[in-house]
Short mmCIF file of all heavy atoms in Angstrom, two decimals:
data_model
loop_
_atom_site.label_atom_id
_atom_site.label_comp_id
_atom_site.label_asym_id
_atom_site.label_seq_id
_atom_site.Cartn_x
_atom_site.Cartn_y
_atom_site.Cartn_z
N VAL A 97 45.69 -13.00 48.38
CA VAL A 97 44.32 -13.20 47.98
C VAL A 97 43.91 -12.01 47.18
O VAL A 97 43.15 -12.09 46.12
CB VAL A 97 43.42 -13.34 49.20
CG1 VAL A 97 42.00 -13.20 48.94
CG2 VAL A 97 43.73 -14.64 49.94
N GLN A 98 44.26 -10.75 47.59
CA GLN A 98 43.81 -9.61 46.75
C GLN A 98 44.50 -9.65 45.36
O GLN A 98 43.94 -9.27 44.43
CB GLN A 98 44.27 -8.38 47.56
CG GLN A 98 43.40 -8.00 48.80
CD GLN A 98 43.59 -6.58 49.24
OE1 GLN A 98 44.51 -6.47 50.01
NE2 GLN A 98 42.97 -5.65 48.66
N LEU A 99 45.81 -9.94 45.43
CA LEU A 99 46.52 -9.73 44.13
C LEU A 99 46.04 -10.67 43.06
O LEU A 99 45.88 -10.27 41.90
CB LEU A 99 48.04 -10.10 44.26
CG LEU A 99 48.86 -8.87 45.06
CD1 LEU A 99 50.14 -9.38 45.54
CD2 LEU A 99 48.88 -7.64 44.17
N GLU A 100 45.64 -11.92 43.41
CA GLU A 100 45.16 -12.80 42.37
C GLU A 100 43.69 -12.85 42.27
O GLU A 100 43.10 -13.32 41.26
CB GLU A 100 45.75 -14.22 42.52
CG GLU A 100 45.26 -14.94 43.79
CD GLU A 100 45.79 -16.40 43.95
OE1 GLU A 100 46.62 -16.74 42.98
OE2 GLU A 100 45.52 -17.12 44.82
N GLY A 101 43.01 -12.36 43.26
CA GLY A 101 41.49 -12.33 43.35
C GLY A 101 40.84 -11.06 43.00
O GLY A 101 39.69 -10.96 42.69
N GLY A 102 41.67 -9.96 43.26
CA GLY A 102 41.13 -8.62 42.97
C GLY A 102 40.16 -8.04 43.92
O GLY A 102 39.50 -7.01 43.71
N LYS A 103 39.95 -8.74 45.06
CA LYS A 103 39.02 -8.30 45.98
C LYS A 103 39.47 -7.15 46.99
O LYS A 103 40.64 -6.92 47.10
CB LYS A 103 38.39 -9.40 46.78
CG LYS A 103 39.41 -10.15 47.73
CD LYS A 103 38.69 -11.21 48.41
CE LYS A 103 38.02 -12.29 47.51
NZ LYS A 103 37.34 -13.32 48.19
N SER A 104 38.53 -6.56 47.66
CA SER A 104 38.97 -5.60 48.68
C SER A 104 39.65 -6.25 49.90
O SER A 104 39.49 -7.43 50.05
CB SER A 104 37.78 -4.82 49.23
OG SER A 104 36.95 -5.61 50.12
N ARG A 105 40.42 -5.50 50.62
CA ARG A 105 41.11 -6.16 51.74
C ARG A 105 39.99 -6.66 52.80
O ARG A 105 40.40 -7.66 53.48
CB ARG A 105 42.08 -5.23 52.38
CG ARG A 105 43.20 -5.98 53.16
CD ARG A 105 44.43 -5.06 53.40
NE ARG A 105 45.56 -5.75 53.94
CZ ARG A 105 46.45 -6.55 53.26
NH1 ARG A 105 46.25 -6.72 52.00
NH2 ARG A 105 47.49 -7.07 53.96
N LEU A 106 39.05 -5.93 53.04
CA LEU A 106 38.00 -6.40 54.03
C LEU A 106 37.43 -7.71 53.64
O LEU A 106 37.34 -8.51 54.48
CB LEU A 106 36.96 -5.32 54.14
CG LEU A 106 35.99 -5.58 55.27
CD1 LEU A 106 36.62 -5.64 56.55
CD2 LEU A 106 34.81 -4.50 55.14
N ASP A 107 37.09 -7.88 52.28
CA ASP A 107 36.71 -9.13 51.84
C ASP A 107 37.69 -10.23 52.01
O ASP A 107 37.38 -11.47 52.39
CB ASP A 107 36.22 -9.08 50.45
CG ASP A 107 34.89 -8.18 50.26
OD1 ASP A 107 34.11 -8.21 51.19
OD2 ASP A 107 34.87 -7.52 49.18
N ALA A 108 38.95 -9.88 51.70
CA ALA A 108 39.98 -10.94 51.97
C ALA A 108 40.21 -11.34 53.42
O ALA A 108 40.37 -12.44 53.78
CB ALA A 108 41.35 -10.44 51.42
N HIS A 109 40.05 -10.33 54.26
CA HIS A 109 40.12 -10.54 55.79
C HIS A 109 39.06 -11.50 56.21
O HIS A 109 39.25 -12.32 57.12
CB HIS A 109 40.06 -9.20 56.46
CG HIS A 109 40.23 -9.17 57.91
ND1 HIS A 109 39.08 -9.21 58.78
CD2 HIS A 109 41.34 -9.36 58.70
CE1 HIS A 109 39.58 -9.32 60.08
NE2 HIS A 109 40.88 -9.42 59.93
N ALA A 110 37.81 -11.48 55.59
CA ALA A 110 36.75 -12.31 56.00
C ALA A 110 37.23 -13.73 55.70
O ALA A 110 36.81 -14.68 56.42
CB ALA A 110 35.46 -11.98 55.29
N GLU A 111 37.98 -13.99 54.64
CA GLU A 111 38.34 -15.31 54.25
C GLU A 111 39.29 -15.83 55.35
O GLU A 111 39.27 -17.02 55.77
CB GLU A 111 39.08 -15.41 52.94
CG GLU A 111 38.20 -15.07 51.77
CD GLU A 111 38.77 -15.64 50.49
OE1 GLU A 111 39.13 -16.86 50.44
OE2 GLU A 111 38.97 -14.94 49.57
N LEU A 112 40.23 -15.09 55.74
CA LEU A 112 41.21 -15.52 56.76
C LEU A 112 40.50 -15.82 58.12
O LEU A 112 40.76 -16.94 58.68
CB LEU A 112 42.24 -14.41 57.01
CG LEU A 112 43.25 -14.59 58.06
CD1 LEU A 112 44.24 -15.50 57.66
CD2 LEU A 112 43.81 -13.22 58.58
N LEU A 113 39.55 -14.91 58.54
CA LEU A 113 38.93 -15.31 59.74
C LEU A 113 38.09 -16.59 59.72
O LEU A 113 37.88 -17.27 60.69
CB LEU A 113 38.01 -14.15 60.22
CG LEU A 113 38.78 -12.87 60.58
CD1 LEU A 113 37.85 -11.85 61.18
CD2 LEU A 113 39.92 -13.15 61.67
N ASP A 114 37.50 -16.79 58.45
CA ASP A 114 36.80 -18.05 58.30
C ASP A 114 37.56 -19.26 58.55
O ASP A 114 37.07 -20.22 59.18
CB ASP A 114 36.08 -18.05 56.93
CG ASP A 114 35.44 -19.49 56.71
OD1 ASP A 114 34.29 -19.68 57.26
OD2 ASP A 114 35.96 -20.17 55.97
N ILE A 115 38.83 -19.26 58.11
CA ILE A 115 39.67 -20.45 58.34
C ILE A 115 39.95 -20.54 59.84
O ILE A 115 39.89 -21.72 60.33
CB ILE A 115 40.97 -20.27 57.49
CG1 ILE A 115 40.68 -20.34 56.07
CG2 ILE A 115 41.97 -21.34 57.91
CD1 ILE A 115 41.96 -20.22 55.25
N VAL A 116 40.24 -19.54 60.40
CA VAL A 116 40.53 -19.49 61.90
C VAL A 116 39.28 -20.10 62.67
O VAL A 116 39.43 -21.04 63.57
CB VAL A 116 40.97 -18.15 62.45
CG1 VAL A 116 41.04 -18.17 63.97
CG2 VAL A 116 42.15 -17.62 61.68
N LEU A 117 38.05 -19.58 62.30
CA LEU A 117 36.86 -20.02 63.06
C LEU A 117 36.56 -21.46 62.78
O LEU A 117 36.27 -22.23 63.67
CB LEU A 117 35.68 -19.28 62.70
CG LEU A 117 35.63 -17.77 63.23
CD1 LEU A 117 34.54 -16.96 62.57
CD2 LEU A 117 35.53 -17.77 64.69
N THR A 118 36.90 -21.88 61.54
CA THR A 118 36.55 -23.25 61.13
C THR A 118 37.59 -24.29 61.81
O THR A 118 37.13 -25.31 62.31
CB THR A 118 36.67 -23.42 59.67
OG1 THR A 118 35.58 -22.53 59.05
CG2 THR A 118 36.35 -24.88 59.16
N ALA A 119 38.89 -23.91 61.86
CA ALA A 119 39.83 -24.67 62.50
C ALA A 119 39.55 -24.88 63.97
O ALA A 119 39.56 -25.90 64.49
CB ALA A 119 41.20 -24.14 62.23
N ASP A 120 39.22 -23.77 64.61
CA ASP A 120 38.94 -23.80 66.07
C ASP A 120 37.66 -24.63 66.27
O ASP A 120 37.64 -25.38 67.26
CB ASP A 120 38.70 -22.35 66.45
CG ASP A 120 38.31 -22.27 68.00
OD1 ASP A 120 39.27 -22.47 68.79
OD2 ASP A 120 37.21 -22.13 68.37
N TYR A 121 36.67 -24.45 65.40
CA TYR A 121 35.47 -25.35 65.78
C TYR A 121 35.74 -26.80 65.66
O TYR A 121 35.39 -27.51 66.48
CB TYR A 121 34.22 -24.87 64.81
CG TYR A 121 33.16 -25.87 64.93
CD1 TYR A 121 32.26 -25.83 65.91
CD2 TYR A 121 33.01 -26.80 63.92
CE1 TYR A 121 31.22 -26.68 66.10
CE2 TYR A 121 31.90 -27.75 64.00
CZ TYR A 121 31.06 -27.64 65.04
OH TYR A 121 30.07 -28.56 65.14
N TYR A 122 36.37 -27.22 64.55
CA TYR A 122 36.59 -28.64 64.46
C TYR A 122 37.61 -29.19 65.39
O TYR A 122 37.49 -30.37 65.78
CB TYR A 122 36.89 -29.06 62.94
CG TYR A 122 35.63 -28.89 62.06
CD1 TYR A 122 35.52 -27.95 61.14
CD2 TYR A 122 34.59 -29.87 62.33
CE1 TYR A 122 34.39 -28.00 60.33
CE2 TYR A 122 33.51 -29.81 61.50
CZ TYR A 122 33.39 -28.86 60.57
OH TYR A 122 32.14 -28.79 59.75
N ALA A 123 38.60 -28.38 65.80
CA ALA A 123 39.53 -28.83 66.78
C ALA A 123 38.78 -29.04 68.07
O ALA A 123 39.12 -30.09 68.88
CB ALA A 123 40.60 -27.71 67.00
N ARG A 124 37.79 -28.22 68.44
CA ARG A 124 37.14 -28.39 69.73
C ARG A 124 35.99 -29.40 69.71
O ARG A 124 35.87 -30.21 70.58
CB ARG A 124 36.50 -27.01 70.15
CG ARG A 124 37.58 -25.99 70.60
CD ARG A 124 36.96 -24.71 71.08
NE ARG A 124 36.25 -23.97 70.05
CZ ARG A 124 34.94 -24.01 69.99
NH1 ARG A 124 34.16 -24.60 70.84
NH2 ARG A 124 34.36 -23.34 68.96
N GLN A 125 35.17 -29.28 68.60
CA GLN A 125 33.96 -30.14 68.62
C GLN A 125 34.05 -31.36 67.64
O GLN A 125 33.32 -32.35 67.93
CB GLN A 125 32.79 -29.29 68.06
CG GLN A 125 32.50 -28.09 68.90
CD GLN A 125 32.00 -28.35 70.33
OE1 GLN A 125 31.28 -29.42 70.48
NE2 GLN A 125 32.27 -27.55 71.24
N GLY A 126 35.03 -31.36 66.79
CA GLY A 126 35.12 -32.47 65.93
C GLY A 126 35.39 -33.87 66.55
O GLY A 126 34.73 -34.86 66.08
N PRO A 127 36.35 -33.90 67.45
CA PRO A 127 36.50 -35.23 68.10
C PRO A 127 35.29 -35.89 68.70
O PRO A 127 35.05 -37.08 68.64
CB PRO A 127 37.55 -34.84 69.17
CG PRO A 127 38.35 -33.81 68.64
CD PRO A 127 37.36 -32.97 67.97
N ASP A 128 34.38 -35.07 69.22
CA ASP A 128 33.09 -35.59 69.77
C ASP A 128 32.27 -36.07 68.61
O ASP A 128 31.46 -37.10 68.78
CB ASP A 128 32.37 -34.61 70.61
CG ASP A 128 32.99 -34.37 71.88
OD1 ASP A 128 33.82 -35.23 72.43
OD2 ASP A 128 32.77 -33.30 72.53
N HIS A 129 32.20 -35.35 67.53
CA HIS A 129 31.33 -35.81 66.41
C HIS A 129 31.67 -37.15 65.79
O HIS A 129 30.85 -37.86 65.34
CB HIS A 129 31.43 -34.74 65.27
CG HIS A 129 30.81 -33.39 65.53
ND1 HIS A 129 29.76 -33.26 66.35
CD2 HIS A 129 31.25 -32.12 65.18
CE1 HIS A 129 29.43 -31.93 66.51
NE2 HIS A 129 30.38 -31.24 65.82
N ILE A 130 32.96 -37.53 65.84
CA ILE A 130 33.42 -38.79 65.23
C ILE A 130 33.79 -39.83 66.28
O ILE A 130 34.31 -40.84 65.96
CB ILE A 130 34.54 -38.58 64.25
CG1 ILE A 130 35.83 -37.89 64.88
CG2 ILE A 130 34.10 -37.75 63.06
CD1 ILE A 130 37.01 -37.78 63.93
N ALA A 131 33.57 -39.52 67.56
CA ALA A 131 33.80 -40.48 68.60
C ALA A 131 32.87 -41.70 68.50
O ALA A 131 31.79 -41.49 68.11
CB ALA A 131 33.66 -39.82 70.06
N PRO A 132 33.33 -42.89 68.87
CA PRO A 132 32.40 -44.04 68.91
C PRO A 132 31.21 -43.71 69.70
O PRO A 132 31.30 -43.15 70.86
CB PRO A 132 33.21 -45.17 69.50
CG PRO A 132 34.66 -44.80 69.26
CD PRO A 132 34.68 -43.28 69.27
N THR A 133 29.95 -44.04 69.15
CA THR A 133 28.79 -43.71 69.84
C THR A 133 27.94 -44.97 70.00
O THR A 133 27.66 -45.68 69.13
CB THR A 133 27.97 -42.66 68.97
OG1 THR A 133 28.84 -41.56 68.73
CG2 THR A 133 26.76 -42.23 69.69
N ARG A 134 27.51 -45.12 71.36
CA ARG A 134 26.67 -46.28 71.60
C ARG A 134 25.30 -46.05 71.06
O ARG A 134 24.60 -44.95 71.40
CB ARG A 134 26.59 -46.58 73.11
CG ARG A 134 25.89 -47.82 73.47
CD ARG A 134 26.17 -48.30 74.82
NE ARG A 134 25.39 -49.51 75.12
CZ ARG A 134 25.71 -50.32 76.19
NH1 ARG A 134 26.56 -49.97 76.96
NH2 ARG A 134 24.97 -51.46 76.37
N LYS A 135 24.68 -47.00 70.40
CA LYS A 135 23.33 -46.95 69.84
C LYS A 135 22.46 -47.93 70.71
O LYS A 135 23.02 -48.78 71.36
CB LYS A 135 23.29 -47.19 68.38
CG LYS A 135 24.16 -46.22 67.61
CD LYS A 135 23.67 -44.80 67.63
CE LYS A 135 24.45 -43.96 66.70
NZ LYS A 135 23.87 -42.46 66.66
N ASN A 136 21.14 -47.76 70.51
CA ASN A 136 20.21 -48.75 71.12
C ASN A 136 20.40 -50.04 70.39
O ASN A 136 20.23 -50.15 69.20
CB ASN A 136 18.77 -48.22 70.94
CG ASN A 136 18.57 -47.05 71.84
OD1 ASN A 136 19.14 -46.89 72.88
ND2 ASN A 136 17.65 -46.15 71.46
N GLY A 137 20.73 -51.10 71.18
CA GLY A 137 20.73 -52.40 70.48
C GLY A 137 19.40 -52.94 70.23
O GLY A 137 18.41 -52.40 70.59
N ALA A 138 19.36 -54.11 69.53
CA ALA A 138 18.03 -54.73 69.19
C ALA A 138 17.23 -55.03 70.38
O ALA A 138 16.06 -54.75 70.55
CB ALA A 138 18.23 -55.92 68.36
N PHE A 139 17.92 -55.66 71.50
CA PHE A 139 17.24 -56.06 72.70
C PHE A 139 18.10 -55.62 73.87
O PHE A 139 19.27 -56.10 74.01
CB PHE A 139 17.01 -57.53 72.70
CG PHE A 139 16.08 -58.02 71.50
CD1 PHE A 139 16.65 -58.64 70.36
CD2 PHE A 139 14.83 -57.93 71.59
CE1 PHE A 139 15.81 -59.10 69.31
CE2 PHE A 139 13.95 -58.33 70.43
CZ PHE A 139 14.46 -58.92 69.36
N PRO A 140 17.51 -54.87 74.76
CA PRO A 140 18.31 -54.38 75.96
C PRO A 140 18.87 -55.59 76.79
O PRO A 140 18.24 -56.62 76.78
CB PRO A 140 17.23 -53.59 76.77
CG PRO A 140 16.21 -53.19 75.74
CD PRO A 140 16.17 -54.31 74.62
N LEU A 141 20.02 -55.32 77.31
CA LEU A 141 20.71 -56.31 78.21
C LEU A 141 21.43 -57.50 77.40
O LEU A 141 22.34 -58.02 77.93
CB LEU A 141 19.74 -56.92 79.24
CG LEU A 141 18.95 -55.77 80.12
CD1 LEU A 141 18.09 -56.58 81.13
CD2 LEU A 141 20.00 -54.98 80.92
N VAL A 142 20.85 -57.93 76.33
CA VAL A 142 21.50 -58.96 75.61
C VAL A 142 22.14 -58.65 74.24
O VAL A 142 22.86 -59.42 73.72
CB VAL A 142 20.35 -60.06 75.33
CG1 VAL A 142 19.87 -60.57 76.56
CG2 VAL A 142 19.31 -59.53 74.35
N THR A 143 21.98 -57.37 73.77
CA THR A 143 22.60 -56.81 72.59
C THR A 143 23.13 -55.49 72.82
O THR A 143 22.52 -54.69 73.57
CB THR A 143 21.76 -56.91 71.31
OG1 THR A 143 20.56 -56.05 71.52
CG2 THR A 143 21.20 -58.38 71.10
#
Side-chain angles (χ1 to χ4, degrees):
V97 170
Q98 284 194 272
L99 287 168
E100 65 178 2
K103 61 178 60 183
S104 74
R105 200 161 188 83
L106 186 62
D107 289 330
H109 184 256
E111 291 204 55
L112 176 75
L113 292 187
D114 175 71
I115 294 179
V116 174
L117 288 172
T118 302
D120 179 75
Y121 170 75
Y122 282 114
R124 290 183 295 103
Q125 301 294 328
D128 288 339
H129 292 327
I130 58 175
T133 306
R134 184 163 182 169
K135 302 294 184 177
N136 292 325
F139 300 102
L141 304 179
V142 297
T143 64

